[in-house]
Amino acid sequence: MNEGKDNMKSSQIDVDGIMRTLGYTKYFHTTQFILISGSIIIASTNSFLYMFYALTPEYQCNNLTEFQFNQYNISINEVSVVYEKCSIDIINADKGLTTENRTLDCVNGYYYTTPVDKSIVSQWDLVCNTVGLAESTQTVYTLGQMNSGLLAPCLLEKFGRKPIRVSSHILLLVFNLVAAFSSSYWLFTIMRFLIGGAREVMPLYVIFTHVHT
């Protein structure tokens, strides 16, 4: 019985002794502090900026061209054209006319009060019939975190904490760069899912470090 206890004690790691040997302000601690601080800043900035790059600016339908006025038989002298957010209303200005009022879709896209590349909403016209797609990217991000929360512990146990941690940082950087230069909404959404997965590995790494220590 005593022999078993002695073996257990000898197999325990003297963490305090290791930390004293490494020193409190030397290369190891400085490097760890920089890496952890950098990852926290990147992750928090990514979440914070989402409130801005998914912002919906003021918008309305773009004006019709002269060709389209002729195409739709619209006479400027007889009707009033009102450009709404999601439609173009053609209203008879002369009450004596029997022509019915008409409504057209935004055939020329939308006009935004801010530059188009300031928001994913204006960049990919996520308004009117597609108004919910901008908010859904945050849901996809959360789904990525959930999947990573289930998968990451298995990877941490199999490959170790260090390889997974380094890989998650590299992947987070790559996924954010691809998302920043995405040419389509669907590519951006996929990147949001992967970013959520890579982001969730960070707190799990800390938990596993303390548990196994």
Side-chain angles (χ1 to χ4, degrees), residues 43-57:
S44 59
T45 302
N46 180 73
S47 300
F48 176 73
L49 290 179
Y50 181 80
M51 295 185 294
F52 297 95
Y53 62 68
L55 182 67
T56 302

Side-chain angles (χ1 to χ4, degrees), residues 178-199:
V178 175
F181 295 97
S182 295
S183 58
S184 68
Y185 166 79
W186 297 110
L187 177 60
F188 178 82
T189 303
I190 293 171
M191 289 302 105
R192 288 292 295 171
F193 179 85
L194 297 176
I195 289 169
R199 168 68 178 82

Side-chain angles (χ1 to χ4, degrees), residues 106-132:
C106 297
V107 292
N108 292 332
Y110 305 89
Y111 166 77
Y112 298 94
T113 56
T114 60
V116 174
D117 59 352
K118 291 295 183 181
S119 170
I120 62 173
V121 174
S122 55
Q123 184 175 2
W124 295 311
D125 290 335
L126 303 181
V127 293
C128 297
N129 295 333
T130 57
V131 67

Side-chain angles (χ1 to χ4, degrees), residues 59-114:
Y59 64 94
Q60 68 177 42
C61 292
N62 265 327
N63 295 344
L64 296 173
T65 63
E66 291 186 10
F67 173 79
Q68 289 169 330
F69 272 99
N70 295 326
Q71 180 183 6
Y72 294 107
N73 296 321
I74 301 173
S75 176
I76 300 178
N77 298 326
E78 298 177 354
V79 299
S80 175
V81 181
V82 180
Y83 296 94
E84 301 287 353
K85 284 190 172 183
C86 298
S87 64
I88 302 174
D89 297 332
I90 304 172
I91 304 171
N92 291 331
D94 189 349
K95 295 182 179 179
L97 295 176
T98 58
T99 307
E100 295 182 356
N101 296 334
R102 289 183 290 167
T103 300
L104 300 177
D105 294 329
C106 297
V107 292
N108 292 332
Y110 305 89
Y111 166 77
Y112 298 94
T113 56
T114 60

Side-chain angles (χ1 to χ4, degrees), residues 148-207:
S148 179
L150 297 173
L151 182 61
C154 300
L155 296 176
L156 288 166
E157 285 287 355
K158 184 175 182 179
F159 299 104
R161 298 186 297 276
K162 185 176 180 179
I164 298 300
R165 179 187 179 185
V166 174
S167 299
S168 66
H169 284 291
I170 296 174
L171 291 175
L172 188 62
L173 175 61
V174 172
F175 294 153
N176 272 291
L177 287 174
V178 175
F181 295 97
S182 295
S183 58
S184 68
Y185 166 79
W186 297 110
L187 177 60
F188 178 82
T189 303
I190 293 171
M191 289 302 105
R192 288 292 295 171
F193 179 85
L194 297 176
I195 289 169
R199 168 68 178 82
E200 187 63 18
V201 174
M202 297 177 185
L204 289 175
Y205 168 84
V206 176
I207 293 173

